[in-house]
Amino acid sequence: MKHLSAVLLMSEATGKKTQDLAIKAGVKLDAKVVDELDALQSAFTTRQDLLLSFGTNVIVPEWILKKQGLIACNVHAASPQYPGRDPHHFAIYDQAKQYGATLHYMTHNVDAGSIIDVELFDVELRTTTPSGLLNLAKESAWALIKRFFERYIEYGAPKAMSGMSWGTRKTTRKMFLDLCRINQSMPKEEIERRYRATAMPGYKNLFIDIHGFRFRIDELAE
């Protein structure tokens, strides 16, 4: 059993599952699970071997990433073609045929570090929703975490994949809001496509602005 001093930047439940996967692979984590910036910075008052981030919006300060000997990785619940925010919505809009998750080294730029590993699956375009795609991407992310610890036992710090690079478009919150906006000049097909791509349980993302008023679209009429 190998031992690693680790900081897990994720929720408590996600941290627990990550530690369980590490133990099954033969790695015992002396782990601090944190989910906000102050706790993250406090965790690095002592030496750490590993920083693993998953499912968080916290931006890791550059001084942490420059720690000597630190393995700093993030799991992005989307394929390399979709760096940035809300990738599952854009993948549905683009009618992506493949999707998945990406394990990569962290840099001061988000979703830009060298790619370590990728887990992909085929997308069923007719039936897959954004929430369904996100759930499948999270399953792929867990496969990457499992494989990371299994490979660490044999090879130590992972090497970047050759020939694998990020997509050229990094999506932002503003880009998602633009995707949610419709207008009366749009063809019916475009409105339907945006409605499908922005749908999410509990949210009314699609909207139209008329004379200074914003109307949220609950559902499209038949």
Side-chain angles (χ1 to χ4, degrees):
M1 182 76 69
K2 287 193 176 183
H3 289 254
L4 279 179
S5 178
V7 176
L8 304 179
L9 181 55
M10 53 189 69
S11 69
E12 286 289 341
T14 303
K16 174 66 167 57
K17 185 171 181 177
T18 298
Q19 292 178 78
D20 290 343
L21 287 175
I23 289 174
K24 289 179 181 178
V27 180
K28 177 68 171 66
L29 297 181
D30 178 13
K32 297 177 181 178
V33 181
V34 300
D35 62 0
E36 50 91 25
L37 181 58
D38 288 343
L40 172 66
Q41 295 185 117
S42 295
F44 278 91
T45 57
T46 58
R47 176 181 168 80
Q48 304 292 341
D49 302 312
L50 171 68
L51 169 60
L52 184 60
S53 171
F54 178 30
T56 176
N57 292 324
V58 175
I59 305 299
V60 179
E62 193 169 1
W63 67 265
I64 292 178
L65 299 178
K66 288 183 175 180
K67 288 282 187 179
Q68 187 173 4
L70 177 67
I71 302 171
C73 301
N74 177 63
V75 184
H76 180 59
S79 45
Q81 291 74 22
Y82 290 93
R85 289 282 303 268
D86 305 303
H88 44 291
H89 292 289
F90 291 96
I92 292 293
Y93 181 79
D94 293 342
Q95 300 179 351
K97 295 181 179 180
Q98 273 196 328
Y99 199 66
T102 308
L103 175 68
H104 64 96
Y105 279 112
M106 282 192 274
T107 65
H108 65 283
N109 290 322
V110 175
D111 297 341
S114 299
I115 295 171
I116 299 167
D117 198 4
V118 174
E119 180 80 8
L120 298 175
F121 57 84
D122 293 333
V123 178
E124 173 50 62
L125 297 176
R126 291 177 299 174
T127 58
T128 304
T129 63
S131 59
L133 195 65
L134 177 58
N135 289 334
L136 290 172
K138 288 179 178 178
E139 290 181 18
S140 293
W142 285 119
L144 290 176
I145 291 174
K146 178 177 181 290
R147 200 151 63 227
F148 168 81
F149 288 116
E150 290 172 345
R151 291 177 176 176
Y152 181 84
I153 284 291
E154 293 192 34
Y155 308 111
K159 295 182 179 180
M161 295 179 69
S162 60
M164 183 64 69
S165 59
W166 291 98
T168 57
R169 178 188 64 174
K170 184 178 292 185
T171 53
T172 64
R173 186 62 178 174
K174 180 182 181 302
M175 291 170 66
F176 176 64
L177 292 176
D178 288 342
L179 184 65
C180 293
R181 182 183 289 109
I182 62 172
N183 61 66
Q184 290 172 303
S185 66
M186 285 182 178
K188 177 184 177 183
E189 292 76 13
E190 176 65 13
I191 293 175
E192 290 176 338
R193 185 175 175 182
R194 290 185 178 224
Y195 177 76
R196 182 169 178 268
T198 61
M200 206 69 176
Y203 294 89
K204 298 177 182 178
N205 287 323
L206 202 68
F207 66 86
I208 186 170
D209 293 328
I210 303 176
H211 301 307
F213 295 95
R214 176 161 294 181
F215 298 89
R216 296 282 174 181
I217 310 301
D218 186 13
E219 59 181 308
L220 298 183
E222 292 294 334

